Amino acid sequence: MIGTGPLHSAASAKGYVALLSGALLLLMQGCSKREEPAEQKAYRQQLEACSEQLQKDPLVPIVGGGYLDTRRLDFNATTVRFEDGQCGTDGFETSFYWTGEKIVPAGQKFTGLLPGQETPKHWRRLNVAAQLGNQRMGRACQEHFDPKKCVDPKHKNPGLPPTWPEERIVRPIAYPGLEIWMPVDGYKKDVGGIYFVMKDWPRPDGTPREVNCWHLPGYDPSAMTKKDLEHLDFGNRTLPCQVEGWDFSFVGGAARISTGTEALRDITPALQALQQYISGSISRER
């Protein structure tokens, strides 16, 4: 029996640990005897076989059509999907650098940096969480729209309108490629971030793309005047920013891009180059 008082000796402590270990072993043995449902087991085995298959060829099939060329990316593994008898992928996560001139995948074989060598300070890191669309389904939805299977093309993140009152637009001196469209009713007290509009790169429908720097300790937008925002400069501070998927699409998909305030000075050309690079890594089904 285990007493309720403290363990007063090393011997009793060892006995206590042994008893716990034995109980844990019995519990694990009991769990291992539970049979995995046949359907679940079959699906798991399909995914395992699919994963092994995808590792053999750098051209990874995209579920629903096309291929992802992983030779252009900093990995050779993606999400694994087994759907309608097809083994493939529908997304990936990886990182890139914007050197100020071009996009470079973050892996050593792409950067050319030696082990232990620091990344150049002017390089900006862009983390990508991409979702690949089903090209066949997309075409079918365009040709024969079925609300049960297709997303209504009218349904999208509303974002901002194409234009904004001039008196509410701020042009930060430190970030000439961006604008801040101040809310008509002003920032609320509980808002800890700022949305920046990429003024020279709207969405295809004319509405603005945004960069959301959502956690800015030491900055209170509700207390900042238009002049304060004009002189806003984060310097070398690395505070989190991201671009959502509805503002960053590429051939056959969309992605959330995570970066930092240090990348804001030339975020638009960096994202444009990234969009082109990812699009060049995907072959569309014809």
Side-chain angles (χ1 to χ4, degrees):
M1 178 180 292
I2 301 176
T4 56
L7 300 176
H8 296 290
S9 66
S12 59
K14 290 180 180 178
Y16 182 66
V17 171
L19 186 58
L20 284 180
S21 299
L24 180 59
L25 180 60
L26 288 173
L27 181 60
M28 292 175 64
Q29 289 175 341
C31 290
S32 65
K33 291 180 181 179
R34 296 178 183 175
E35 293 186 3
E36 185 178 8
E39 184 177 346
Q40 182 178 337
K41 182 179 180 180
Y43 182 69
R44 176 178 56 79
Q45 291 174 338
Q46 285 174 335
L47 285 181
E48 291 174 355
C50 181
S51 179
E52 293 179 3
Q53 178 182 334
L54 296 185
Q55 296 292 324
K56 296 177 181 179
D57 191 337
L59 287 176
V60 177
I62 298 171
V63 172
Y67 291 86
L68 174 67
D69 188 350
T70 61
R71 292 170 297 189
R72 290 170 49 85
L73 306 172
D74 182 32
F75 62 86
N76 63 350
T78 60
T79 59
V80 179
R81 288 287 302 277
F82 188 85
E83 184 176 308
D84 296 331
Q86 181 188 9
C87 172
T89 185
D90 65 350
F92 62 88
E93 293 187 14
T94 189
S95 297
F96 299 86
Y97 287 111
W98 165 247
T99 68
E101 298 178 352
K102 63 180 181 179
I103 286 293
V104 178
Q108 180 183 344
K109 68 178 181 179
F110 298 99
T111 64
L113 299 176
L114 299 175
Q117 184 178 357
E118 292 187 4
T119 304
K121 292 184 178 180
H122 66 281
W123 287 18
R124 302 301 178 222
R125 191 176 181 93
L126 303 167
N127 301 314
V128 176
Q131 186 71 31
L132 302 172
N134 188 311
Q135 296 180 30
R136 293 174 197 158
M137 184 180 294
R139 284 196 299 274
C141 289
Q142 290 178 358
E143 296 172 1
H144 310 286
F145 181 72
D146 181 352
K148 295 181 180 180
K149 298 181 179 180
C150 308
V151 177
D152 187 340
K154 298 179 182 179
H155 178 71
K156 62 179 181 178
N157 183 279
L160 292 169
T163 60
W164 202 248
E166 179 62 30
E167 65 274 13
R168 306 299 299 176
I169 296 178
V170 178
R171 297 175 176 85
I173 297 172
Y175 308 108
L178 300 176
E179 295 178 341
I180 300 173
W181 290 11
M182 299 176 63
V184 176
D185 297 328
Y187 289 104
K188 297 180 180 179
K189 284 286 185 181
D190 58 348
V191 174
I194 297 176
Y195 282 86
F196 295 88
V197 169
M198 291 176 266
K199 65 178 184 180
D200 297 322
W201 192 35
R203 298 175 186 170
D205 64 0
T207 57
R209 301 176 195 260
E210 300 174 90
V211 182
N212 176 18
C213 297
W214 47 271
H215 180 59
L216 305 174
Y219 298 89
D220 180 7
S222 67
M224 299 177 75
T225 64
K226 188 173 183 178
K227 186 175 182 180
D228 292 333
L229 293 172
E230 286 176 349
H231 292 275
L232 179 66
D233 188 348
F234 299 107
N236 293 322
R237 297 191 68 183
T238 303
L239 302 174
C241 301
Q242 64 186 27
V243 178
E244 296 295 344
W246 47 76
D247 285 330
F248 187 86
S249 59
F250 51 86
V251 170
R256 171 180 288 175
I257 311 299
S258 300
T259 185
T261 48
E262 75 283 0
L264 289 178
R265 296 186 192 279
D266 55 353
I267 189 67
T268 300
L271 292 177
Q272 289 174 325
L274 179 63
Q275 181 192 59
Q276 184 176 4
Y277 189 95
I278 296 177
S279 294
S281 304
I282 296 172
S283 61
R284 301 187 65 177
E285 184 183 60
R286 301 186 183 278

Coordinates of all heavy atoms in Angstrom, one line a residue, residues 49-136:
A49 N 1.9 4.4 -47.5 CA 2.4 4.0 -48.8 C 2.5 5.2 -49.7 O 3.4 5.3 -50.5 CB 1.5 2.9 -49.4
C50 N 1.5 6.1 -49.6 CA 1.5 7.3 -50.4 C 2.7 8.2 -50.0 O 3.4 8.7 -50.9 CB 0.2 8.1 -50.1 SG 0.0 9.6 -51.1
S51 N 3.0 8.3 -48.7 CA 4.1 9.1 -48.3 C 5.4 8.6 -48.8 O 6.3 9.4 -49.3 CB 4.2 9.1 -46.7 OG 5.3 9.9 -46.3
E52 N 5.6 7.3 -48.8 CA 6.8 6.7 -49.4 C 6.9 6.9 -50.9 O 8.0 7.2 -51.4 CB 6.8 5.2 -49.1 CG 6.9 4.8 -47.6 CD 6.9 3.3 -47.3 OE1 6.9 2.6 -48.3 OE2 7.0 2.9 -46.2
Q53 N 5.8 6.8 -51.5 CA 5.7 7.0 -53.0 C 6.1 8.5 -53.3 O 6.9 8.7 -54.3 CB 4.4 6.7 -53.5 CG 4.2 6.9 -55.0 CD 2.8 6.7 -55.5 OE1 2.0 5.9 -54.9 NE2 2.4 7.3 -56.6
L54 N 5.7 9.4 -52.6 CA 5.9 10.8 -52.9 C 7.4 11.2 -52.7 O 7.9 12.2 -53.2 CB 5.1 11.7 -52.0 CG 3.6 11.7 -52.3 CD1 2.8 12.7 -51.4 CD2 3.2 11.8 -53.7
Q55 N 8.1 10.4 -51.8 CA 9.5 10.7 -51.6 C 10.4 10.3 -52.7 O 11.6 10.7 -52.8 CB 10.0 9.9 -50.3 CG 9.3 10.4 -49.0 CD 9.7 11.8 -48.6 OE1 10.8 12.2 -48.8 NE2 8.7 12.5 -48.1
K56 N 9.9 9.5 -53.6 CA 10.7 8.9 -54.7 C 10.9 9.8 -55.9 O 11.8 9.6 -56.7 CB 10.1 7.6 -55.2 CG 10.1 6.5 -54.1 CD 9.4 5.2 -54.6 CE 9.3 4.2 -53.5 NZ 8.6 2.9 -53.9
D57 N 10.0 10.8 -56.0 CA 10.1 11.6 -57.2 C 9.9 13.1 -56.8 O 9.0 13.4 -56.1 CB 9.0 11.2 -58.2 CG 9.1 11.9 -59.6 OD1 9.8 12.9 -59.7 OD2 8.6 11.3 -60.6
P58 N 10.8 14.0 -57.2 CA 10.7 15.4 -56.9 C 9.5 16.1 -57.5 O 9.1 17.1 -57.0 CB 12.0 16.0 -57.4 CG 12.5 15.1 -58.5 CD 12.0 13.7 -58.0
L59 N 8.9 15.5 -58.5 CA 7.7 16.1 -59.1 C 6.5 15.4 -58.4 O 6.1 14.3 -58.6 CB 7.6 15.8 -60.6 CG 8.6 16.6 -61.5 CD1 8.4 16.2 -62.9 CD2 8.3 18.1 -61.3
V60 N 6.0 16.1 -57.4 CA 4.9 15.6 -56.6 C 3.5 15.9 -57.2 O 3.2 17.0 -57.4 CB 5.0 16.2 -55.1 CG1 3.8 15.7 -54.3 CG2 6.3 15.8 -54.5
P61 N 2.7 14.9 -57.4 CA 1.4 15.1 -57.9 C 0.5 15.9 -57.0 O 0.6 15.7 -55.8 CB 0.8 13.7 -58.1 CG 1.9 12.8 -58.1 CD 3.0 13.4 -57.2
I62 N -0.2 16.9 -57.6 CA -1.2 17.7 -56.8 C -2.5 17.0 -56.9 O -2.9 16.7 -58.0 CB -1.2 19.1 -57.3 CG1 0.2 19.8 -57.1 CG2 -2.3 19.9 -56.5 CD1 0.3 21.1 -57.8
V63 N -3.2 16.8 -55.8 CA -4.5 16.2 -55.9 C -5.4 17.1 -56.7 O -5.6 18.2 -56.4 CB -5.1 16.0 -54.5 CG1 -6.6 15.5 -54.5 CG2 -4.3 15.0 -53.7
G64 N -6.0 16.5 -57.8 CA -6.9 17.3 -58.6 C -6.2 17.8 -59.9 O -6.8 18.5 -60.7
G65 N -4.9 17.4 -60.1 CA -4.2 17.8 -61.3 C -3.0 18.7 -61.1 O -2.9 19.5 -60.2
G66 N -2.0 18.4 -62.0 CA -0.7 19.2 -61.9 C 0.3 18.6 -61.0 O 0.1 17.6 -60.4
Y67 N 1.5 19.2 -61.0 CA 2.6 18.8 -60.2 C 3.3 19.9 -59.5 O 3.3 21.0 -60.0 CB 3.6 18.0 -61.1 CG 3.2 16.7 -61.6 CD1 2.4 16.7 -62.8 CD2 3.4 15.5 -61.0 CE1 1.9 15.5 -63.3 CE2 3.0 14.3 -61.5 CZ 2.2 14.3 -62.7 OH 1.8 13.1 -63.2
L68 N 3.9 19.6 -58.3 CA 4.7 20.5 -57.6 C 6.2 20.1 -57.7 O 6.5 19.0 -57.4 CB 4.3 20.6 -56.1 CG 5.2 21.4 -55.2 CD1 5.0 22.9 -55.5 CD2 4.8 21.2 -53.7
D69 N 7.0 21.0 -58.2 CA 8.4 20.7 -58.4 C 9.2 21.0 -57.1 O 9.6 22.2 -56.9 CB 9.0 21.4 -59.6 CG 10.4 21.0 -60.0 OD1 11.0 20.2 -59.2 OD2 10.9 21.4 -61.0
T70 N 9.4 20.0 -56.3 CA 10.1 20.2 -55.0 C 11.6 20.5 -55.1 O 12.2 20.9 -54.2 CB 9.9 19.0 -54.0 OG1 10.5 17.9 -54.6 CG2 8.4 18.8 -53.8
R71 N 12.1 20.4 -56.3 CA 13.5 20.7 -56.5 C 13.8 22.2 -56.4 O 14.9 22.6 -56.2 CB 14.0 20.2 -57.9 CG 14.1 18.7 -58.0 CD 14.3 18.3 -59.5 NE 13.2 18.7 -60.3 CZ 13.1 18.3 -61.6 NH1 13.9 17.5 -62.1 NH2 12.0 18.7 -62.3
R72 N 12.7 23.0 -56.5 CA 12.9 24.4 -56.4 C 12.5 24.9 -55.0 O 12.5 26.1 -54.8 CB 11.9 25.1 -57.4 CG 12.3 24.9 -58.9 CD 11.2 25.4 -59.8 NE 10.7 26.7 -59.5 CZ 11.2 27.8 -59.9 NH1 12.3 27.9 -60.6 NH2 10.6 29.0 -59.6
L73 N 12.3 24.0 -54.1 CA 11.9 24.4 -52.8 C 12.9 23.8 -51.7 O 13.6 22.9 -52.0 CB 10.5 23.9 -52.5 CG 9.4 24.4 -53.5 CD1 8.1 23.7 -53.2 CD2 9.3 25.9 -53.5
D74 N 12.8 24.3 -50.5 CA 13.7 23.8 -49.5 C 13.2 22.6 -48.7 O 13.1 22.6 -47.5 CB 14.0 25.0 -48.5 CG 15.0 24.6 -47.4 OD1 15.9 23.7 -47.7 OD2 14.8 25.1 -46.3
F75 N 12.7 21.6 -49.4 CA 12.3 20.3 -48.8 C 12.0 19.4 -49.9 O 11.9 19.7 -51.1 CB 11.0 20.6 -48.0 CG 9.8 21.0 -48.8 CD1 9.0 20.1 -49.4 CD2 9.6 22.4 -48.9 CE1 7.9 20.6 -50.2 CE2 8.5 22.8 -49.6 CZ 7.7 21.9 -50.3
N76 N 11.7 18.1 -49.6 CA 11.2 17.1 -50.5 C 10.1 16.4 -49.9 O 9.8 15.3 -50.3 CB 12.3 16.2 -51.0 CG 12.8 15.3 -49.8 OD1 12.5 15.6 -48.6 ND2 13.6 14.3 -50.1
A77 N 9.4 17.1 -49.0 CA 8.2 16.5 -48.4 C 7.1 17.5 -48.3 O 7.3 18.7 -48.2 CB 8.5 16.0 -47.0
T78 N 5.8 17.0 -48.5 CA 4.7 17.9 -48.5 C 3.6 17.3 -47.7 O 3.8 16.2 -47.1 CB 4.2 18.1 -49.9 OG1 3.8 16.8 -50.4 CG2 5.2 18.7 -50.8
T79 N 2.4 17.9 -47.6 CA 1.3 17.3 -47.0 C 1.0 16.0 -47.9 O 1.2 16.0 -49.1 CB 0.1 18.2 -47.0 OG1 -0.3 18.6 -48.3 CG2 0.3 19.4 -46.1
V80 N 0.4 15.0 -47.3 CA 0.1 13.8 -48.0 C -1.4 13.6 -48.0 O -2.1 13.6 -47.0 CB 0.8 12.6 -47.3 CG1 0.4 11.3 -48.0 CG2 2.3 12.8 -47.2
R81 N -1.9 13.4 -49.2 CA -3.4 13.2 -49.4 C -3.6 11.9 -50.2 O -2.9 11.7 -51.2 CB -4.0 14.4 -50.1 CG -4.1 15.6 -49.2 CD -5.2 15.5 -48.1 NE -6.5 15.2 -48.7 CZ -7.3 16.1 -49.2 NH1 -7.0 17.4 -49.2 NH2 -8.5 15.7 -49.7
F82 N -4.6 11.1 -49.8 CA -5.0 10.0 -50.7 C -6.5 10.2 -50.9 O -7.3 10.1 -50.0 CB -4.7 8.7 -50.0 CG -5.0 7.5 -50.9 CD1 -4.0 7.1 -51.8 CD2 -6.2 6.8 -50.9 CE1 -4.2 6.0 -52.6 CE2 -6.4 5.8 -51.7 CZ -5.4 5.3 -52.6
E83 N -6.9 10.6 -52.1 CA -8.2 11.0 -52.4 C -8.7 10.4 -53.7 O -8.0 10.6 -54.7 CB -8.3 12.5 -52.4 CG -9.7 13.0 -52.6 CD -9.8 14.6 -52.4 OE1 -9.3 15.1 -51.4 OE2 -10.3 15.2 -53.3
D84 N -9.8 9.8 -53.7 CA -10.4 9.2 -55.0 C -9.4 8.3 -55.7 O -9.2 8.3 -56.9 CB -10.9 10.3 -55.9 CG -12.0 11.1 -55.3 OD1 -12.8 10.5 -54.5 OD2 -12.1 12.3 -55.6
G85 N -8.6 7.6 -54.9 CA -7.6 6.6 -55.5 C -6.3 7.3 -55.9 O -5.4 6.6 -56.4
Q86 N -6.2 8.6 -55.7 CA -5.0 9.3 -56.1 C -4.1 9.7 -54.9 O -4.6 10.2 -53.9 CB -5.3 10.6 -56.9 CG -4.1 11.4 -57.4 CD -4.4 12.7 -57.9 OE1 -5.6 13.2 -57.8 NE2 -3.4 13.4 -58.5
C87 N -2.8 9.4 -55.1 CA -1.8 9.8 -54.1 C -1.2 11.1 -54.5 O -0.7 11.3 -55.6 CB -0.8 8.7 -54.0 SG 0.6 9.1 -52.9
G88 N -1.2 12.1 -53.6 CA -0.7 13.4 -53.9 C -0.6 14.3 -52.8 O -0.6 13.9 -51.6
T89 N -0.5 15.6 -53.0 CA -0.4 16.6 -52.0 C -1.4 17.7 -52.3 O -1.9 17.9 -53.4 CB 1.0 17.2 -52.0 OG1 1.1 18.1 -50.9 CG2 1.3 18.0 -53.2
D90 N -1.7 18.5 -51.2 CA -2.6 19.7 -51.4 C -2.0 20.9 -50.7 O -2.7 21.9 -50.4 CB -4.0 19.4 -51.0 CG -4.1 19.1 -49.5 OD1 -3.1 19.0 -48.8 OD2 -5.2 19.1 -48.9
G91 N -0.7 20.8 -50.3 CA -0.2 22.0 -49.6 C 1.3 21.7 -49.1 O 1.8 20.6 -49.2
F92 N 1.9 22.8 -48.7 CA 3.3 22.6 -48.2 C 3.6 23.9 -47.3 O 2.9 24.9 -47.4 CB 4.3 22.5 -49.3 CG 4.4 23.7 -50.2 CD1 5.2 24.8 -49.9 CD2 3.6 23.8 -51.4 CE1 5.2 25.9 -50.8 CE2 3.6 24.9 -52.2 CZ 4.4 25.9 -51.9
E93 N 4.6 23.7 -46.5 CA 5.1 24.8 -45.7 C 6.7 24.9 -45.9 O 7.3 23.8 -45.8 CB 4.8 24.6 -44.2 CG 3.3 24.8 -43.9 CD 3.1 24.8 -42.4 OE1 4.0 24.9 -41.6 OE2 1.9 24.6 -42.0
T94 N 7.2 26.1 -46.1 CA 8.6 26.2 -46.3 C 9.0 27.7 -46.1 O 8.1 28.5 -45.9 CB 9.0 25.7 -47.7 OG1 10.5 25.7 -47.8 CG2 8.5 26.6 -48.8
S95 N 10.2 28.0 -46.3 CA 10.7 29.4 -46.1 C 11.6 29.9 -47.2 O 12.2 29.0 -47.9 CB 11.5 29.5 -44.8 OG 10.6 29.2 -43.7
F96 N 11.6 31.2 -47.4 CA 12.4 31.8 -48.5 C 13.1 33.0 -47.9 O 12.7 33.5 -46.8 CB 11.6 32.2 -49.6 CG 10.8 31.1 -50.3 CD1 9.6 30.7 -49.9 CD2 11.4 30.5 -51.5 CE1 8.9 29.7 -50.5 CE2 10.7 29.5 -52.1 CZ 9.5 29.1 -51.7
Y97 N 14.1 33.5 -48.6 CA 14.7 34.8 -48.3 C 14.5 35.7 -49.5 O 14.6 35.3 -50.7 CB 16.2 34.7 -48.0 CG 16.5 34.1 -46.7 CD1 17.1 32.8 -46.6 CD2 16.3 34.7 -45.5 CE1 17.4 32.2 -45.4 CE2 16.6 34.2 -44.3 CZ 17.2 32.9 -44.3 OH 17.5 32.3 -43.0
W98 N 14.2 37.0 -49.2 CA 14.2 38.0 -50.2 C 15.6 38.8 -50.0 O 15.8 39.4 -49.0 CB 13.1 39.0 -50.0 CG 13.1 40.3 -50.8 CD1 13.3 41.5 -50.3 CD2 13.1 40.5 -52.2 NE1 13.3 42.5 -51.2 CE2 13.2 41.9 -52.5 CE3 13.0 39.6 -53.3 CZ2 13.2 42.4 -53.7 CZ3 13.0 40.1 -54.6 CH2 13.1 41.5 -54.8
T99 N 16.4 38.7 -51.0 CA 17.8 39.3 -50.9 C 17.8 40.8 -51.3 O 18.8 41.4 -51.1 CB 18.8 38.6 -51.9 OG1 18.4 38.9 -53.2 CG2 18.7 37.1 -51.7
G100 N 16.7 41.3 -51.7 CA 16.6 42.7 -52.2 C 16.6 42.7 -53.7 O 16.3 43.7 -54.3
E101 N 17.0 41.5 -54.3 CA 17.0 41.4 -55.8 C 16.2 40.2 -56.3 O 15.7 40.2 -57.3 CB 18.5 41.3 -56.3 CG 19.3 42.5 -56.0 CD 20.7 42.4 -56.4 OE1 21.1 41.3 -56.9 OE2 21.5 43.4 -56.4
K102 N 16.2 39.1 -55.5 CA 15.6 37.9 -55.9 C 15.1 37.1 -54.7 O 15.5 37.3 -53.5 CB 16.5 37.0 -56.8 CG 17.8 36.6 -56.0 CD 18.7 35.7 -57.0 CE 19.9 35.2 -56.2 NZ 20.8 34.4 -57.1
I103 N 14.3 36.0 -55.0 CA 13.8 35.1 -54.0 C 14.8 33.9 -54.0 O 15.1 33.3 -55.0 CB 12.4 34.6 -54.3 CG1 11.4 35.8 -54.0 CG2 12.0 33.4 -53.5 CD1 11.3 36.1 -52.5
V104 N 15.2 33.5 -52.7 CA 16.0 32.3 -52.6 C 15.4 31.4 -51.5 O 15.1 31.9 -50.4 CB 17.5 32.7 -52.1 CG1 18.3 31.5 -51.9 CG2 18.1 33.7 -53.1
P105 N 15.2 30.1 -51.8 CA 14.8 29.2 -50.8 C 15.8 29.2 -49.6 O 17.0 29.4 -49.8 CB 14.7 27.8 -51.5 CG 14.5 28.2 -52.9 CD 15.3 29.5 -53.1
A106 N 15.3 28.9 -48.4 CA 16.1 29.1 -47.2 C 17.1 28.0 -47.0 O 18.0 28.2 -46.2 CB 15.2 29.2 -46.0
G107 N 17.1 26.9 -47.7 CA 18.1 25.8 -47.6 C 19.5 26.2 -48.0 O 19.7 27.1 -48.9
Q108 N 20.5 25.6 -47.4 CA 21.9 25.9 -47.7 C 22.2 25.7 -49.1 O 23.0 26.5 -49.7 CB 22.8 25.0 -46.8 CG 24.3 25.2 -47.0 CD 25.1 24.3 -46.2 OE1 24.6 23.6 -45.2 NE2 26.4 24.2 -46.5
K109 N 21.7 24.7 -49.8 CA 22.0 24.4 -51.2 C 21.6 25.5 -52.1 O 22.0 25.7 -53.2 CB 21.5 23.1 -51.6 CG 20.0 23.0 -51.7 CD 19.6 21.6 -52.3 CE 18.0 21.5 -52.4 NZ 17.6 20.2 -52.9
F110 N 20.6 26.3 -51.6 CA 20.1 27.5 -52.4 C 20.8 28.8 -52.0 O 21.1 29.6 -52.9 CB 18.6 27.6 -52.2 CG 17.8 26.5 -52.7 CD1 17.3 25.5 -51.8 CD2 17.5 26.3 -54.0 CE1 16.6 24.4 -52.2 CE2 16.7 25.2 -54.5 CZ 16.3 24.3 -53.5
T111 N 21.0 29.0 -50.7 CA 21.6 30.2 -50.3 C 23.1 30.3 -50.5 O 23.7 31.4 -50.7 CB 21.4 30.4 -48.8 OG1 22.1 29.4 -48.0 CG2 19.9 30.4 -48.4
G112 N 23.8 29.1 -50.6 CA 25.2 29.1 -50.7 C 26.0 29.5 -49.5 O 27.2 29.6 -49.5
L113 N 25.3 29.7 -48.4 CA 25.9 30.0 -47.1 C 26.6 28.8 -46.5 O 26.0 27.7 -46.6 CB 24.9 30.6 -46.1 CG 24.2 31.9 -46.6 CD1 23.1 32.2 -45.5 CD2 25.2 33.0 -46.8
L114 N 27.8 29.0 -46.0 CA 28.5 27.9 -45.3 C 27.9 27.6 -44.0 O 27.2 28.4 -43.3 CB 30.0 28.2 -45.2 CG 30.7 28.5 -46.5 CD1 32.1 29.0 -46.2 CD2 30.7 27.3 -47.4
P115 N 28.0 26.3 -43.5 CA 27.5 26.0 -42.1 C 28.1 27.0 -41.1 O 29.3 27.2 -41.0 CB 28.1 24.6 -41.9 CG 28.2 24.0 -43.3 CD 28.7 25.2 -44.1
G116 N 27.2 27.5 -40.3 CA 27.5 28.5 -39.3 C 27.6 29.9 -39.8 O 27.8 30.9 -38.9
Q117 N 27.6 30.1 -41.1 CA 27.7 31.5 -41.6 C 26.4 32.2 -41.4 O 25.3 31.7 -41.7 CB 28.0 31.4 -43.1 CG 28.2 32.8 -43.7 CD 28.6 32.7 -45.2 OE1 28.8 31.6 -45.8 NE2 28.8 33.8 -45.9
E118 N 26.4 33.4 -41.0 CA 25.2 34.2 -40.7 C 24.6 34.7 -42.0 O 25.2 34.9 -43.0 CB 25.5 35.4 -39.8 CG 25.9 35.1 -38.4 CD 26.1 36.3 -37.6 OE1 25.8 37.4 -38.1 OE2 26.5 36.2 -36.4
T119 N 23.2 34.7 -42.0 CA 22.5 35.3 -43.1 C 22.8 36.8 -43.2 O 22.8 37.5 -42.2 CB 21.0 35.0 -42.9 OG1 20.7 33.6 -42.7 CG2 20.2 35.5 -44.1
P120 N 23.0 37.3 -44.4 CA 23.2 38.7 -44.6 C 22.1 39.5 -43.9 O 20.9 39.1 -44.0 CB 23.2 38.9 -46.1 CG 23.7 37.6 -46.6 CD 23.1 36.5 -45.7
K121 N 22.4 40.6 -43.2 CA 21.4 41.3 -42.5 C 20.3 42.0 -43.3 O 19.2 42.2 -42.8 CB 22.2 42.4 -41.7 CG 23.0 41.8 -40.5 CD 23.7 43.0 -39.7 CE 24.5 42.4 -38.6 NZ 25.1 43.4 -37.8
H122 N 20.6 42.2 -44.6 CA 19.6 42.8 -45.4 C 18.7 41.8 -46.0 O 17.7 42.2 -46.7 CB 20.3 43.7 -46.5 CG 21.0 42.9 -47.5 ND1 22.3 42.4 -47.3 CD2 20.7 42.5 -48.8 CE1 22.7 41.7 -48.4 NE2 21.8 41.8 -49.3
W123 N 18.9 40.5 -45.9 CA 18.0 39.5 -46.4 C 16.7 39.5 -45.5 O 16.8 39.6 -44.3 CB 18.6 38.2 -46.4 CG 19.6 38.0 -47.5 CD1 20.3 38.9 -48.2 CD2 20.1 36.7 -47.9 NE1 21.1 38.4 -49.1 CE2 21.1 37.0 -48.9 CE3 19.9 35.4 -47.6 CZ2 21.8 36.0 -49.6 CZ3 20.6 34.4 -48.3 CH2 21.5 34.7 -49.3
R124 N 15.6 39.3 -46.1 CA 14.3 39.2 -45.3 C 13.7 37.8 -45.5 O 13.5 37.3 -46.6 CB 13.3 40.3 -45.8 CG 13.9 41.7 -45.8 CD 14.3 42.1 -44.4 NE 14.8 43.4 -44.3 CZ 15.9 43.7 -43.5 NH1 16.5 42.8 -42.8 NH2 16.3 45.0 -43.5
R125 N 13.3 37.3 -44.3 CA 12.7 35.9 -44.3 C 11.2 36.0 -44.6 O 10.5 36.8 -44.0 CB 13.0 35.2 -43.0 CG 12.7 33.7 -43.0 CD 13.2 33.1 -41.7 NE 12.9 31.6 -41.7 CZ 13.8 30.7 -42.1 NH1 15.0 31.1 -42.5 NH2 13.5 29.4 -42.0
L126 N 10.7 35.1 -45.4 CA 9.3 34.9 -45.7 C 8.9 33.5 -45.5 O 9.4 32.6 -46.2 CB 9.0 35.3 -47.2 CG 9.5 36.8 -47.6 CD1 9.4 36.9 -49.1 CD2 8.6 37.8 -46.9
N127 N 8.1 33.2 -44.5 CA 7.6 31.9 -44.2 C 6.3 31.6 -44.9 O 5.4 32.5 -44.8 CB 7.5 31.7 -42.7 CG 8.8 31.9 -42.0 OD1 9.8 31.4 -42.4 ND2 8.7 32.7 -40.9
V128 N 6.2 30.5 -45.6 CA 5.0 30.3 -46.5 C 4.2 29.0 -46.0 O 4.8 28.0 -45.8 CB 5.5 30.0 -47.9 CG1 4.3 29.7 -48.8 CG2 6.2 31.3 -48.5
A129 N 2.9 29.2 -45.8 CA 2.0 28.1 -45.6 C 1.0 28.1 -46.7 O 0.1 28.9 -46.8 CB 1.3 28.2 -44.2
A130 N 1.3 27.2 -47.7 CA 0.5 27.2 -49.0 C -0.5 26.1 -49.0 O -0.3 25.0 -48.5 CB 1.5 27.0 -50.1
Q131 N -1.6 26.4 -49.7 CA -2.7 25.5 -49.9 C -2.9 25.4 -51.4 O -3.1 26.4 -52.1 CB -4.0 25.9 -49.3 CG -5.1 24.9 -49.4 CD -4.9 23.7 -48.5 OE1 -4.3 23.8 -47.4 NE2 -5.4 22.6 -48.9
L132 N -2.8 24.2 -52.0 CA -2.9 24.0 -53.4 C -4.4 23.6 -53.8 O -5.0 22.7 -53.1 CB -2.0 22.9 -53.9 CG -0.5 23.1 -53.5 CD1 0.3 21.9 -53.9 CD2 0.0 24.3 -54.3
G133 N -4.9 24.3 -54.8 CA -6.3 24.0 -55.2 C -6.4 22.8 -56.0 O -5.5 22.3 -56.6
N134 N -7.7 22.3 -56.1 CA -8.0 21.2 -57.0 C -8.3 21.7 -58.3 O -9.4 22.3 -58.5 CB -9.2 20.4 -56.4 CG -9.4 19.1 -57.1 OD1 -9.5 19.0 -58.3 ND2 -9.6 18.0 -56.3
Q135 N -7.4 21.6 -59.3 CA -7.6 22.2 -60.6 C -8.8 21.7 -61.4 O -9.5 22.4 -62.0 CB -6.3 22.1 -61.4 CG -5.1 22.9 -60.7 CD -3.9 22.7 -61.6 OE1 -3.9 22.6 -62.8 NE2 -2.7 22.8 -60.9
R136 N -8.9 20.4 -61.3 CA -10.1 19.8 -62.0 C -11.4 20.2 -61.5 O -12.3 20.6 -62.2 CB -10.0 18.2 -62.0 CG -8.8 17.7 -62.7 CD -8.6 16.2 -62.4 NE -7.3 15.7 -62.8 CZ -6.8 14.6 -62.3 NH1 -7.5 13.8 -61.5 NH2 -5.5 14.2 -62.7

